[in-house]
Amino acid sequence: MYSLLLLAAAAPFAQAVRIIQSNDDGWAEANVRTFFNALNAAGHEAVLSAPAENQSGTGSSDATPTTVGSDGCQFDSCPGGSPPTGANATDPRLNYVNSFPVTSIKNGISVTAPKLWNGAAPELALTGPNVGSNIGIQVPFSGTVGAAVYAAETAQIPAIAFSGQTGDPTAWNAETPLHSQIYADLALNVTTTIINSGKPYLPPNTFLNVNFPSVSQCSDPSQFKYIFTRINLGLFSAADADWCGSTRLPTESSVILFKGSGCYVTISPGDATDKTTVNDAAVQTQIINKLKPILSCLP
């Protein structure tokens, strides 16, 4: 295993940016906390605003936060009866919202983060890594994706949703699982590449849907390859960007199930208005050019 400092050092240099984070697995889950640590170790100003409890599968639901129930927050991370929103006692950058993922990131964008940044707004929104994949027909129901879509469409903040196939919900204060460390490293690599590409980080009303495969075959981040994909099949869509010798991008599902050698990360351009693939080849090309330093083609 490697330390978070080594994770950060392994990534190419990127200028420090203000990042709002969220997820749907809960603010105390190991994946999002490990990624938070990696982002801050890399020099970014990350603020986490995520649900007090696991809210997987809640899509774009949104509701006023309520007082925490008698059982307290996830993994005993706050006591029963706690306020509707709150922060870690020793680190105000770690925040819970007792509601849905969309509500959580909305509160982070409009309330929590600006207070910590002297009124400044987030420059980038990152959600996850989700515990479990979000590919194809899963995407509309994912709270991790829902939070990213809110940031991209409503708040007009470039957004990336990360999900990983391996793992079960794990407490923030348990021993950090290997998959959480690997997914944090891979997510940091994608984030760094987008930041290094310059502003605007993504075209308007788009988000990236990124899925990491199982770590059972590949346990070193250098073994993974990044493939540009589609969320949905697009049988009746216009031609995609001309990439890897084709004008039809492979789907996330087909790449995740690909039987060739190697481990493949899928990166899909998402339309924030309907959570499907961006079907504009010119917009796809813009994103490909930003990600080109890390992209590969399937063999």
Side-chain angles (χ1 to χ4, degrees):
M1 293 190 180
Y2 35 78
S3 71
L4 291 172
L5 289 176
L6 289 177
L7 283 176
F13 174 79
Q15 69 178 71
V17 302
R18 296 182 302 276
I19 296 171
I20 186 70
Q21 283 187 273
S22 194
N23 70 352
D24 71 6
D25 296 306
W27 80 308
E29 206 286 317
N31 277 4
V32 76
R33 290 293 185 95
T34 306
F35 190 27
F36 170 85
N37 291 336
L39 288 167
N40 283 290
H44 300 298
E45 297 180 70
V47 171
L48 175 65
S49 183
E53 293 282 355
N54 189 329
Q55 294 286 347
S56 295
T58 53
S60 291
S61 298
D62 184 13
T64 302
T66 58
T67 300
V68 175
S70 59
D71 290 339
C73 291
Q74 177 187 44
F75 302 126
D76 297 321
S77 54
C78 81
S82 292
T85 63
N88 181 281
T90 58
D91 191 343
R93 300 172 300 173
L94 298 171
N95 297 267
Y96 74 80
V97 176
N98 194 34
S99 185
F100 298 110
V102 164
T103 314
S104 300
I105 200 167
K106 179 196 298 187
N107 192 76
I109 291 169
S110 62
V111 179
T112 306
K115 285 182 178 178
L116 295 172
W117 296 332
N118 296 317
E123 297 171 275
L124 187 62
L126 305 176
T127 62
N130 188 72
V131 178
S133 298
N134 281 307
I135 61 175
I137 61 173
Q138 298 171 316
V139 170
F141 306 102
S142 165
T144 293
V145 172
V149 164
Y150 173 84
E153 182 183 23
T154 305
Q156 291 293 296
I157 298 169
I160 308 174
F162 296 102
S163 302
Q165 190 175 16
T166 295
D168 296 306
T170 304
W172 63 279
N173 56 354
E175 182 178 353
T176 303
L178 178 61
H179 70 265
S180 295
Q181 297 183 47
I182 292 175
Y183 291 157
D185 187 88
L186 297 173
L188 182 61
N189 194 22
V190 174
T191 301
T192 300
T193 303
I194 286 295
I195 293 171
N196 283 345
S197 74
K199 292 184 177 181
Y201 296 135
L202 291 171
N205 296 313
T206 65
F207 70 100
L208 297 183
N209 190 48
V210 180
N211 277 272
F212 306 127
S214 169
V215 302
S216 61
Q217 182 178 351
C218 300
S219 58
D220 184 331
S222 66
Q223 296 174 293
F224 291 78
K225 295 182 179 180
Y226 301 83
I227 308 298
F228 199 64
T229 52
R230 294 182 59 87
I231 295 171
N232 53 303
L233 201 56
L235 289 175
F236 304 105
S237 302
D240 288 327
D242 188 351
W243 178 244
C244 291
S246 175
T247 55
R248 178 58 74 210
L249 298 170
T251 63
E252 298 167 333
S253 301
S254 68
V255 173
I256 292 296
L257 298 173
F258 187 71
K259 300 303 182 183
S261 61
C263 293
Y264 299 101
V265 176
T266 63
I267 307 179
S268 298
D271 186 334
T273 64
D274 60 9
K275 302 181 184 178
T276 63
T277 306
V278 170
N279 284 313
D280 187 325
V283 174
Q284 292 175 0
T285 300
Q286 289 180 49
I287 300 172
I288 287 170
N289 287 336
K290 286 178 166 290
L291 292 168
K292 197 171 286 185
I294 61 171
L295 290 180
S296 297
C297 297
L298 291 173

